[in-house]
Amino acid sequence: MVVAASVVVAIGTAAGMLSALEDRGRSDEAGPEVTGSPSLASLPVVPTQSSASPSPSASPSPKKKASASPTPSKTAKEKPVVTTFASTRLYRHADSQVLDWVRANDGDPRHAVIESRIADRPAAVWFADYTPSTVTARVRAVTSGGSAHGRVPVLVAYAIPGRDCGGHSQGGAPDLDAYDAWIEKFAAGLGSGEVVVILEPDSVAQAECLSTATRADRFASLARAGRVLKAANPMARVYYDAGHSGWNPPAKQAGWLKQAGAASPASSDGVFSNVSNFHRTSDEIAYDRRVLDALGGPASLGAVIDTSRNGNGAPADGEWCDPAGRKIGRAPTLRTGEARIDAYLWVKLPGESDGCKGTPGTFSPSYAYDLAR
């Protein structure tokens, strides 16, 4: 259990928020009108435990780390590839553990910091429990809320069989046939508006633990999943697991990603990195560009980076479980100003434990305060 992969540990209840201590600026998504997010009663169905943001997996990653110097996209004269989201504002779903804490603890001395720097920020909503009978309605609750407010929600699909190689975040669907059916139900709730889907954190980067045949089956299922999601909603942007800059070499990661469908525009809009991890944004930009270059595919493929807890970078000792001294990173935005970097997102919700400062996936106000102050 060293420099963990990226993702989750347990399932609680989370949705979105963020702050920018790395650049000290508030994102365009997190302006004052964020307070106009709908109340719980205004949504048709409120996501339950599946909306928690799990935490870093315990799979080892290589000691070798990608260079921190960003790699320019091909030539200096080449026109940068930028995203074309109709809306440039991210959605803060009204149901999350941090918002529950803020509502219930107005007199707590940590309240103002946690509210302004975490709770007021848009963040991803996780669907990490295998509940086929309710997943469509729960996804629809989030996407309909985003559409009603002209904002882009971020959803995490996290139910792949053999999840986390049996580690802290183990679970998911019982087999790939069941997973394929679950994804179809997930896709049925996507609606017709813009939405970002983070497809199965760790599912590609952590595939070393699988046999060759099992890995091939998983990658085929992920390719199908991307096609199903984009067919259900052509406005959906689907991103595949690239791990992070301290894990697999870009060429190796890109080879696996290609097998999983990430190079095909029929299933993919690109890759994501640093989910539930701590690597600096500059390291991730450089790494993601190398992965995309090795991946091939259309020039429109881009990357999104989880900046929720990377303000101080990753710990030197590789600790992944609620490490001390970390800070929240850049504010979530769909305007990065970086070629081939589509968004900075808060995928892991700051303050939700990896399992060392509380039960995995549950909100810890002391941890949130330490990250935000």
Side-chain angles (χ1 to χ4, degrees), residues 321-334:
C321 187
D322 301 331
R326 303 310 98 200
K327 296 296 179 184
I328 54 179
R330 296 191 185 199
T333 181
L334 299 175

Side-chain angles (χ1 to χ4, degrees), residues 236-321:
R237 290 178 179 262
V238 179
Y239 293 90
Y240 280 72
D241 171 40
H244 59 66
S245 59
W247 204 348
N248 295 319
K252 177 180 180 178
Q253 189 68 29
W256 281 353
L257 282 162
K258 189 172 294 187
Q259 294 176 53
S264 170
S267 55
S268 170
D269 292 276
V271 302
F272 62 83
S273 71
N274 208 41
V275 168
S276 293
N277 221 283
F278 307 91
H279 294 276
R280 290 191 182 276
T281 303
S282 57
D283 292 350
E284 295 306 300
I285 290 172
Y287 170 74
D288 288 342
R289 285 173 175 163
R290 292 188 182 107
V291 170
L292 290 168
D293 286 345
L295 180 61
S300 60
L301 295 182
V304 299
I305 298 169
D306 187 353
T307 59
S308 61
R309 304 187 298 178
N310 73 346
N312 276 353
D317 62 1
E319 178 57 61
W320 60 269
C321 187

Side-chain angles (χ1 to χ4, degrees), residues 208-228:
E208 196 79 70
C209 73
L210 304 175
S211 69
T212 301
T214 303
R215 186 185 308 145
D217 289 344
R218 172 182 285 190
F219 290 167
S221 182
L222 288 170
R224 286 194 298 273
R227 292 193 298 270
V228 166

Side-chain angles (χ1 to χ4, degrees), residues 335-346:
R335 295 172 172 172
T336 69
E338 294 282 351
R340 304 205 81 178
I341 307 301
D342 295 350
Y344 302 137
L345 303 175
W346 279 14

